[in-house]
Amino acid sequence: MTIDESIHEISPFFQVKQTKWGGRACFSNANIPKGTTVLQVSNSTGTSISYEFRKEVCHNCFAYANARTMKYRLNYESVKYLIRDPHCQINPKKFLGAGLWFCSDHCKTSYLQIPNIIELIECYEILLHHFPNMLKRYNITSEQEKKLNSIPISESIIQSVWDEIENDWIPRINNMKTTKKINQLPPISEDEYSCIRFVCESLFKLKYMNPQCVTYHAFNMLQSNELSKITRFPVLLNFQKLVFQTLYIMLPSHLRKMLSIPLLRHILGTEYGNAFGLWQEGEASESREFFGYWVFPEASYFNHSCNPNVTKYRKGNSMLFNVNKDIKKDEQICIDYSGVLDLPTTKRRKFLADSWFFDCACERCMSEL
Ligand SMILES: [Zn+2]
Ligand SMILES: [Zn+2]
């Protein structure tokens, strides 16, 4: 894919360029002194907080208070004034709080001020109502999982699974009455639940994003790692299918209009390899908690180096990218993907190959080999 003009606006400090060796990279526009922030991004296109942390992490600022449950939840009183759509499926008597927890009243209020946020809250709420029943029916044995993980994978096998959904499953579902459709919700686990929420948020964000903005272009241009990832973990193909089927049945029409098979495959295929880990704030350390992951398209064009010149860190709901040594004009700007720079060369390179599907050829690796 060629580089879209608009992503040159990602940062005044660097440009994304197509490289001679294939792939894309960020090159500095001028000499940049140590300590400069070359990029700050907030507002991810999608966030996934893992199921075990769902009550312990603030859904607005991602604060974490040592495994204590966050104090503030949504109640019907706090969302009812946002409901404008007469078909909204939020039930006043059975409102469950949409699975959203907050550290403070301020964070809860800020979250509710996101334009049209009620549409996303509605999706989370519907999912939360169906989830216990879907989870109860989920009983994949290790034998079945082994079987799912031993399917041979190729581009055409992936395509045939989606063709079947498109040509057979969707028309069947479309012909059903609402109550019967609900019975078709597949059994899912906590992992699918978190992923479905991630896709809901991505669809919602894309729906209201200006198609001319940098984030939108950067998102569309992200490289998909679908084939590499599913080849490595064939079970993911079934996982994605369950995510799609659940969303197709459950989403209210305002977001279902957004859901297409190519878009779902792009959201999930680009997440593998482009998402940043969502970590507890503070210095990298053994005790730091890993909550989940989030996607910032503008920050996804940095390549990896085992001797990076930019350090990334989280500040609230933003990610900052700071220069850690003076950078010369036209030098490539790189970050560390791995978080395991202390590992010996071969182990570190294996970790990178397994997780990000490339053989690191950075200067440090080359000199150490
Ligand atoms: Zn908060
Ligand atoms: Zn390396």
Side-chain angles (χ1 to χ4, degrees):
M1 205 185 282
T2 53
I3 292 188
D4 200 302
E5 283 294 307
S6 64
I7 67 165
H8 291 318
E9 292 158 30
I10 286 180
S11 162
F13 293 98
F14 62 83
Q15 293 227 325
V16 181
K17 291 183 187 164
Q18 199 73 38
T19 61
K20 290 191 281 291
W21 60 89
R24 293 165 294 200
C26 302
F27 294 93
S28 62
N29 287 332
N31 293 343
I32 310 174
K34 181 179 171 179
T36 310
T37 302
V38 288
L39 185 67
Q40 175 165 6
V41 285
S42 46
N43 254 329
S44 66
T45 49
T47 314
S48 174
I49 295 174
S50 64
Y51 194 76
E52 57 167 317
F53 284 106
R54 70 199 185 284
K55 298 179 183 174
E56 297 167 7
V57 173
C58 172
H59 282 68
N60 185 60
C61 73
F62 305 104
Y64 171 75
N66 295 316
R68 274 201 302 274
T69 297
M70 290 283 141
K71 272 194 190 135
Y72 295 82
R73 284 180 71 179
L74 292 186
N75 52 23
Y76 183 69
E77 288 305 304
S78 60
V79 299
K80 72 171 184 198
Y81 71 98
L82 295 172
I83 301 174
R84 307 248 186 282
D85 178 2
H87 303 292
C88 179
Q89 295 172 51
I90 290 178
N91 184 331
K93 294 206 177 68
K94 292 183 189 161
F95 187 67
L96 296 173
L100 292 165
W101 276 264
F102 301 96
C103 70
S104 62
D105 202 38
H106 172 77
C107 271
K108 180 174 142 183
T109 312
S110 306
Y111 189 86
L112 292 175
Q113 278 166 356
I114 299 170
N116 309 299
I117 193 66
I118 191 68
E119 290 186 12
L120 183 58
I121 293 174
E122 182 188 5
C123 297
Y124 289 163
E125 184 66 11
I126 297 170
L127 177 65
L128 197 55
H129 273 273
H130 293 303
F131 182 56
N133 188 22
M134 295 165 84
L135 182 65
K136 213 169 19 188
R137 290 184 285 119
Y138 184 84
N139 57 353
I140 284 204
T141 60
S142 53
E143 199 126 301
Q144 282 166 308
E145 190 163 322
K146 234 193 205 157
K147 209 171 138 202
L148 284 170
N149 242 337
S150 58
I151 318 166
I153 295 294
S154 66
E155 194 97 57
S156 63
I157 288 174
I158 296 178
Q159 191 55 48
S160 69
V161 166
W162 290 113
D163 285 346
E164 198 198 317
I165 295 267
E166 176 113 58
N167 303 324
D168 181 43
W169 186 82
I170 289 181
R172 219 155 19 90
I173 292 293
N174 286 349
N175 276 330
M176 288 179 187
K177 291 209 174 82
T178 314
T179 42
K180 202 165 167 218
K181 258 185 220 173
I182 296 296
N183 291 334
Q184 303 298 311
L185 280 170
I188 57 166
S189 72
E190 290 153 359
D191 291 340
E192 281 102 8
Y193 173 84
S194 300
C195 181
I196 290 164
R197 284 176 62 107
F198 169 77
V199 177
C200 285
E201 188 187 358
S202 306
L203 294 173
F204 170 76
K205 293 270 179 80
L206 290 167
K207 180 181 174 187
Y208 289 106
M209 199 179 281
N210 175 357
Q212 308 303 329
C213 79
V214 185
T215 312
Y216 194 86
H217 285 276
F219 171 78
N220 280 327
M221 284 184 47
L222 288 182
Q223 187 192 320
S224 173
N225 294 97
E226 179 187 68
L227 185 60
S228 335
K229 187 81 179 186
I230 296 181
T231 305
R232 216 178 131 62
F233 303 104
V235 68
L236 286 174
L237 187 54
N238 187 58
F239 180 97
Q240 295 195 356
K241 195 172 126 181
L242 296 177
V243 168
F244 180 86
Q245 290 175 321
T246 306
L247 287 164
Y248 192 84
I249 294 173
M250 180 207 87
L251 281 182
S253 61
H254 54 77
L255 269 197
R256 207 177 80 179
K257 275 186 254 171
M258 294 286 299
L259 178 72
S260 68
I261 290 172
L263 181 57
L264 180 103
R265 287 176 67 183
H266 187 69
I267 291 171
L268 296 180
T270 54
E271 172 243 297
Y272 308 136
N274 288 299
F276 290 90
L278 178 50
W279 292 86
Q280 185 176 359
E281 261 183 328
E283 290 290 301
S285 75
E286 295 271 307
S287 61
R288 199 168 64 143
E289 295 285 5
F290 178 76
F291 309 136
Y293 57 86
W294 47 2
V295 175
F296 293 100
E298 289 112 306
S300 293
Y301 292 90
F302 294 119
N303 281 333
H304 165 85
S305 164
C306 300
N307 183 18
N309 48 17
V310 161
T311 306
K312 60 178 198 292
Y313 66 96
R314 176 169 90 81
K315 192 176 164 195
N317 54 14
S318 308
M319 289 280 292
L320 277 83
F321 297 83
N322 281 4
V323 173
N324 61 30
K325 56 186 104 175
D326 291 347
I327 294 180
K328 291 204 181 64
K329 184 173 189 290
D330 296 325
E331 206 178 309
Q332 194 185 155
I333 297 182
C334 293
I335 59 173
D336 166 38
Y337 293 179
S338 66
V340 293
L341 292 183
D342 295 339
L343 284 183
T345 322
T346 40
K347 280 195 178 161
R348 187 176 75 233
R349 295 184 80 238
K350 184 176 182 317
F351 184 73
L352 284 162
D354 287 349
S355 316
W356 286 274
F357 322 110
F358 68 91
D359 296 315
C360 190
C362 76
E363 261 173 57
R364 182 180 157 196
C365 282
M366 291 302 105
S367 73
E368 285 176 0
L369 284 170

